[in-house]
Amino acid sequence: GAVVSQHPSWVICKSGTSVKIECRSLDFQATTMFWYRQFPKQSLMLMATSNEGSKATYEQGVEKDKFLINHASLTLSTLTVTSAHPEDSSFYICSALQGSTDTQYFGPGTRLTVL
Amino acid sequence: GDSVTQMEGPVTLSEEAFLTINCTYTATGYPSLFWYVQYPGEGLQLLLKATKADDKGSNKGFEATYRKETTSFHLEKGSVQVSDSAVYFCALSDRSEKLVFGKGTKLTVNP
């Protein structure tokens, strides 16, 4: 099956610093990737849609200047949490859309803790 | 907007019991429907999907049928195992390919 990786799997940072999370599709190309946030015992909330070679589309209420998304290649999208604060602590999950099957494949997630 | 409602858990069953997790949806068009599973400490994995009415998705003994008349996509398994313990998410995707998830149902299967 299609494999999507995320790096790092967990990160702890100080308040005010920036953190970059990578999402890679390992065995297929993905023109579209998605970034989600999952709160404890809750569902996934779509943050933004990342399109290769163009600007990301953010969902309502998501600050684009805080959550910077770059989709520079067909296998890599990055999410940078800028000037992180404790309330940004969460589980961030990416997915990549496999066009041939019209199915999203998910990465294992990144646990971000902001102190 | 589109939405997914699934039965809230947690659900606790004994091994070999029958499982049903209800899922209903609201959508303006004709979405594709999915069940994803999240095992402890892991990311979401696609369990099964159906792309049109009356389609049945199946995988690993799990089944779900796309019922347009009742706007439902209930997940079933005839005999659960301890290894099925996980959180199950129902989801839909419209033409924009965005996924809308239900809140998830935690299943615990005891030996």
Side-chain angles (χ1 to χ4, degrees), chain A:
Chain A
V3 180
V4 175
S5 70
Q6 274 184 249
H7 178 80
S9 55
W10 59 270
V11 57
I12 300 172
C13 70
K14 293 182 178 179
S15 186
T17 61
S18 295
V19 174
K20 179 184 284 188
I21 303 170
E22 294 186 348
C23 176
R24 293 181 185 273
S25 55
L26 299 185
D27 50 4
F28 67 100
Q29 294 183 330
T31 55
T32 304
M33 292 184 175
F34 301 88
W35 286 96
Y36 297 84
R37 186 170 176 177
Q38 186 179 28
F39 293 97
K41 298 184 180 180
Q42 293 191 31
S43 188
L44 282 76
M45 181 193 79
L46 178 65
M47 299 175 65
T49 302
S50 171
N51 297 298
E52 187 267 338
S54 64
K55 291 183 178 179
T57 304
Y58 291 81
E59 295 300 301
Q60 193 171 15
V62 178
E63 298 177 60
K64 61 181 67 176
D65 293 331
K66 182 168 188 59
F67 298 99
L68 300 179
I69 292 172
N70 186 299
H71 193 158
S73 77
L74 289 172
T75 59
L76 173 64
S77 176
T78 60
L79 169 68
T80 302
V81 183
T82 63
S83 186
H85 291 284
E87 56 265 31
D88 298 325
S89 298
S90 192
F91 195 54
Y92 292 88
I93 303 173
C94 74
S95 71
L97 181 65
Q98 186 181 52
S100 60
T101 60
D102 198 28
T103 298
Q104 287 187 39
Y105 291 91
F106 284 78
T110 297
R111 173 74 59 192
L112 170 63
T113 301
V114 184
L115 302 177

Side-chain angles (χ1 to χ4, degrees), chain B residues 17-106:
Chain B
F18 184 86
L19 168 71
T20 300
I21 301 178
N22 290 336
C23 172
T24 57
Y25 67 91
T26 302
T28 53
Y30 300 98
S32 295
L33 301 175
F34 305 81
W35 277 100
Y36 281 86
V37 57
Q38 187 176 32
Y39 296 104
E42 299 183 17
L44 270 74
Q45 300 175 26
L46 177 65
L47 181 59
L48 54 85
K49 70 175 186 179
T51 58
K52 60 183 188 296
D54 299 325
D55 268 2
K56 177 186 284 188
S58 61
N59 185 26
K60 299 181 182 180
F62 291 89
E63 293 183 341
T65 301
Y66 190 144
R67 301 288 188 197
K68 180 182 168 186
E69 62 276 12
T70 55
T71 61
S72 65
F73 193 54
H74 304 322
L75 182 68
E76 297 182 336
K77 186 173 185 181
S79 176
V80 293
Q81 306 300 312
V82 173
S83 57
D84 294 327
S85 297
V87 180
Y88 292 82
F89 292 92
C90 184
L92 67 80
S93 173
D94 61 14
R95 287 180 297 174
S96 72
E97 297 168 333
K98 295 180 184 179
L99 279 171
V100 176
F101 285 90
K103 291 187 176 181
T105 303
K106 183 176 181 180

